Amino acid sequence: MERWSFGAVLADEQEQAFCLSVWFARSGSAAGSPAVCYTLGWSLTTQDSRAGVAESWMDAEAVAAIREATAADTVMDHRVRTALLEALADGTPVLPDRLLPGPVQVSADGSIIDVGGVGVLHFAPDGTYQLALSGRQGTRVELRLVPDKPALPYGGASQCQGFALPRCTVSGSVLLAGESAVSVSGSGWHEQYAGPVAARGEGWSRLMMSLDNGWDIVVGQAAGAVRVMASAPDGAPLMAAEPVLMASDSWLSFSTLSSYPSRWEVRLPEADALLTVVAAPAVQEVATMTSGSHGQLCVAARVSGTMAGGAVSGDAWVEVVPQQRLSDLEEHVGQLRELTRREVARLYPDRPSTAATASLMGGCGTALDGVPDEVIHDTMIRPIRHLTDADGRGWRTYVCCAALELLGVSSAPYTSLLAAVEVIHSANLAIDDVQDGSLYRRGVPAVHTVFGAAATINAGTAAYFALDRVADEILPDDDAVRLRFYRLYVGMLRAAHGGQAIDLHGHTEAMDEAVATGDATGLLARIRAAHRFKTGLPARAFGEVGALIARADEQQTAAIGQYFEAVGTAYQYTDDILDLLGATAAPGSTRKHTGEDLRAGKVTLPLAHAVALMPSHRTTSLWKSVRDGGVPQDIVREAATDLIRCGAVQACYTEAEALVEDAWRRLDPLIPASVTKVIVRALGTHAALREPELRAGVLPWK
């Protein structure tokens, strides 16, 4: 692969600052093809975040290479791999990557590369570089880079060859969409690399620092190794033998769920330098697969520290491609957990406060009535935090954000949705455990065993209003949108309570009738309804809230809602299977799902499907053995084995899969391909086919 990277910090005559990052890449194509792949990416942002653009392009050969690499990737979660291959099947990349509008043209002497008409790189005879970039919305950049220092070569005996120009004078013009072109000037850098293509998903980072004492330092990190090239004020090179690079203060991108640092500490013993690099406030992630991952950070930064005993400062430019192998879908989506915890702590704080009390009590507060804030904190906040602080699956909190990202709207301004969804879901679980008499949840004692049933029910029902508490933060000043939001919200609460009512009533009498008649049609309908109302419709509402904020059209909103309803319902179907299999609990575990439903005589989807799949006498015998609950472990094991062997478990998987696939067929054509769409598609497969390694019918019990 050959890669040409450029960065610049520019300013116009009004001292408006711009940050620019550009990369061109050329590499070998898919195996067996003589073609060459081309990719181009660039990011331009005003330093005050007033405006910006990020674009990434590739040719058809690059798409084919990504597809081939994905198919051969044995580390990537199989559900994500299948979804990504499906998205790439038509030969176009997933958004925001786009197919080049024209062919790549290279001059006979190789000095000019025109990448499909959207970017031109010119290696001028005088040793300067010229860039021209054309954005889709009318943005245009034309720059000339003049090296101020000799190049810093690297490579030596390694397979990687290239050089860095650590300090360049940059001049040209910038035209942002809808504005007039302005003349700009500033400083920049350039790096040229040639070497093997890194494995997809392997991360790397690069910091280019220009210090006010005349030194320039380039720090690169890949595969755990740190490499430094430094240039003294007179251009003399310095190669550091024992550099140290430490990154911290990470933030999470909602578009790619990639984590990026915003602060770096650099120690160079040879130069007696200790430097701190802090990224500028503007977030400049480019969500792209052109760098071998699913996103790339391109950000300007400031440097401060000491060198040779004196204080130094300067500008820096940072590129980070995170390690992103997507090896586990749940872990990937679960990266929202830490941010969710922080948002929950804002809504349900660690300590008592008058503001929290007032918010929980509809703005009324208790201070004037002489009731300490500690009373409200202990009885309404601590019970909910007991459960939110424990680890959960996390996919429900992802739904609102995913709906926004599916429609091309950044979910970053709507992080309070994470807290609202998590609080509502946790409250529902806490009350469900009271009603079911469960002793543990998420690996901790159930809320009611710690705080009592009465306090748990009160705190739980109060928590159902969490979405109302964040409404003003997330909704536009539009009465029609707000009315629709509250109708969605109240409808979801009604549906969830209705589903719980069906579940509490149980299906014992319906199972009696199904066993007696051999017809489980009505029984199956009731179980499906309970799952749909309890889990499916809340997931639908969360998805539609995201679509509503993104101003989706009616068809998109309905399809997004239907898909997440199917995901939630299928998740509950497979939850019945996991309980039957004891698949999520090792012996002695305090987590749920250890065959509790059979032990309690609860009618679930596998048991209902068995009516049509087992001989009537065996169905009668099995139902009689578990009907009244209190079932010993050996009977539970025998019953579970029969349900697997007769095909009832497979019938549940088939039904869950069909439910998700039907909803996906409706949504797929309405939403453009994107990284978020790939993850959302994989999430549906995961919900319908959880723990596929257990589908062979082998119980994990000993």
Side-chain angles (χ1 to χ4, degrees):
M1 180 182 74
E2 297 174 277
R3 194 176 194 268
W4 300 273
S5 301
F6 302 86
V9 178
L10 308 167
D12 61 18
E13 294 177 353
Q14 283 71 46
E15 297 186 354
Q16 168 65 53
F18 299 87
C19 304
L20 174 72
S21 182
V22 187
W23 62 93
F24 294 78
R26 174 169 59 195
S27 60
S29 185
S33 170
V36 173
C37 306
Y38 284 90
T39 58
L40 163 66
W42 57 283
S43 166
L44 175 69
T45 307
T46 57
Q47 259 186 331
D48 61 3
S49 300
R50 177 179 57 86
V53 61
E55 296 194 1
S56 50
W57 301 85
M58 63 179 66
D59 58 12
E61 288 75 19
V63 178
I66 292 173
R67 191 169 62 241
E68 182 175 286
T70 301
D73 193 331
T74 58
V75 175
M76 184 181 293
D77 185 292
H78 66 93
R79 293 154 295 201
V80 177
R81 182 172 61 247
T82 300
L84 182 55
L85 289 173
E86 181 181 293
L88 296 170
D90 64 355
T92 58
V94 297
L95 292 175
D97 292 336
R98 296 180 182 275
L99 206 60
L100 287 171
V104 176
Q105 300 183 53
V106 182
S107 63
D109 62 358
S111 65
I112 301 176
I113 304 175
D114 182 342
V115 186
V118 296
V120 178
L121 171 59
H122 181 197
F123 307 95
D126 61 359
T128 65
Y129 298 84
Q130 295 175 14
L131 293 173
L133 304 167
S134 300
R136 294 175 50 250
Q137 304 301 323
T139 297
R140 185 162 179 82
V141 179
E142 295 184 356
L143 297 176
R144 181 171 182 262
L145 287 82
V146 180
D148 294 332
K149 281 186 173 183
L152 292 172
Y154 64 87
S158 73
Q159 293 179 289
C160 303
Q161 301 294 324
F163 62 86
L165 292 171
R167 189 175 297 214
C168 299
T169 297
V170 185
S171 60
S173 64
V174 169
L175 170 62
L176 289 176
E179 300 186 12
S180 300
V182 295
S183 296
V184 294
S185 60
S187 62
W189 61 270
H190 165 53
E191 184 179 67
Q192 185 169 329
Y193 163 92
V197 178
R200 295 201 65 82
E202 294 297 333
W204 54 266
S205 59
R206 184 181 293 111
L207 292 77
M208 284 65 61
M209 294 173 276
S210 293
L211 305 181
D212 56 9
N213 63 357
W215 276 83
D216 295 284
I217 301 170
V218 181
V219 183
Q221 183 174 39
V226 179
R227 175 178 54 84
V228 172
M229 298 180 292
S231 173
D234 62 0
L238 169 69
M239 305 300 289
E242 297 182 357
V244 177
L245 176 64
M246 295 183 294
S248 61
D249 295 357
S250 294
W251 59 273
L252 185 71
S253 162
F254 282 90
S255 297
T256 63
L257 295 184
S258 299
S259 183
Y260 299 99
S262 60
R263 182 185 181 92
W264 297 262
E265 301 290 338
V266 180
R267 188 186 302 273
L268 304 176
E270 293 87 347
D272 189 20
L274 178 60
L275 306 171
T276 300
V277 181
V278 180
V283 173
Q284 298 177 63
E285 184 196 31
V286 182
T288 176
M289 297 183 71
T290 62
S291 297
S293 187
H294 295 284
Q296 176 172 335
L297 178 69
C298 311
V299 62
R302 286 292 297 169
V303 186
S304 61
T306 61
M307 192 170 187
V312 293
S313 61
D315 291 317
W317 191 262
V318 182
E319 289 186 313
V320 178
V321 173
Q323 185 172 351
Q324 186 65 282
R325 298 305 302 271
L326 289 175
S327 58
D328 185 285
L329 177 63
E330 279 200 349
E331 181 181 324
H332 181 68
V333 173
Q335 291 179 98
L336 286 172
R337 288 192 189 105
E338 189 57 39
L339 182 56
T340 299
R341 288 192 187 100
R342 291 202 297 268
E343 287 295 322
V344 168
R346 190 166 66 89
L347 199 63
Y348 274 62
D350 297 338
R351 296 178 179 82
S353 73
T354 301
T357 299
S359 178
L360 280 163
M361 301 187 69
C364 300
T366 63
L368 295 178
D369 299 305
V371 179
D373 294 325
E374 286 81 1
V375 172
I376 300 302
H377 184 84
D378 289 345
T379 56
M380 295 180 70
I381 292 180
R382 287 184 58 220
I384 300 302
R385 285 292 301 272
H386 176 77
L387 203 51
T388 61
D389 289 350
D391 281 335
R393 297 289 186 181
W395 68 266
R396 290 171 181 82
T397 57
Y398 177 64
V399 168
C400 287
C401 295
L404 285 158
E405 298 284 348
L406 281 175
L407 296 160
V409 175
S410 172
S411 56
Y414 305 102
T415 53
S416 56
L417 279 170
L418 298 172
V421 173
E422 175 60 20
V423 164
I424 290 171
H425 177 57
S426 296
N428 186 49
L429 295 178
I431 293 175
D432 188 61
D433 288 341
V434 173
Q435 295 167 336
D436 289 349
S438 299
L439 300 179
Y440 294 95
R441 174 71 71 169
R442 292 180 173 175
V444 299
V447 178
H448 66 276
T449 67
V450 178
F451 297 91
T456 299
I457 292 170
N458 187 66
T461 53
Y464 287 149
F465 298 98
L467 205 55
D468 174 61
R469 291 178 59 201
V470 304
D472 287 341
E473 297 181 25
I474 62 173
L475 295 179
D477 187 14
D478 185 321
D479 288 343
V481 171
R482 286 174 175 267
L483 176 60
R484 189 169 177 185
F485 167 82
Y486 277 105
R487 283 178 171 168
L488 270 174
Y489 179 28
V490 174
M492 179 264 289
L493 291 178
R494 288 173 174 166
H497 280 79
Q500 185 72 349
I502 297 170
D503 197 51
L504 287 172
H505 181 274
H507 312 292
T508 301
E509 292 81 4
M511 183 69 183
D512 288 339
E513 182 179 351
V515 171
T517 63
D519 182 5
T521 303
L523 172 63
L524 286 166
R526 287 177 56 163
I527 295 173
R528 291 168 185 145
H531 289 341
R532 175 173 173 261
F533 281 103
K534 277 189 65 174
T535 308
L537 289 181
R540 178 179 192 131
F542 295 144
E544 289 188 353
V545 164
L548 182 64
I549 295 171
R551 303 299 182 99
D553 62 38
E554 293 297 326
Q555 192 177 13
Q556 288 175 319
T557 300
I560 287 172
Q562 183 181 23
Y563 180 72
F564 284 119
E565 177 186 322
V567 170
T569 305
Y571 198 90
Q572 202 61 48
Y573 287 1
T574 52
D575 212 50
D576 283 357
I577 298 170
L578 296 190
D579 182 274
L580 175 71
L581 299 176
T584 61
S589 170
T590 57
R591 296 188 69 89
K592 291 191 66 177
H593 301 313
T594 56
E596 286 182 0
D597 292 337
L598 277 177
R599 187 175 293 109
K602 184 176 180 179
V603 181
T604 59
L605 199 63
L607 197 58
H609 270 299
V611 172
L613 296 170
M614 294 177 67
S616 60
H617 72 278
R618 183 59 193 133
T619 306
T620 301
S621 174
L622 188 155
W623 176 232
K624 182 178 179 181
S625 69
V626 301
R627 183 186 187 279
D628 297 324
V631 183
Q633 182 70 8
D634 59 335
I635 300 298
V636 170
R637 184 183 296 108
E638 182 181 351
T641 302
D642 284 347
L643 292 175
I644 294 170
R645 288 175 176 168
C646 77
V649 167
Q650 182 59 52
C652 295
Y653 275 125
T654 300
E655 187 174 338
E657 189 173 11
L659 187 68
V660 171
E661 289 300 309
D662 180 65
W664 180 254
R665 281 193 295 270
R666 298 169 189 267
L667 175 62
D668 185 21
L670 303 178
I671 304 294
S674 66
V675 173
T676 301
K677 185 176 180 180
V678 168
I679 299 303
V680 166
R681 170 63 162 144
L683 182 64
T685 305
H686 167 64
L689 302 173
R690 282 192 291 166
E691 307 294 338
E693 66 274 13
L694 296 176
R695 296 179 69 185
V698 179
L699 285 171
W701 299 333
K702 295 182 179 179

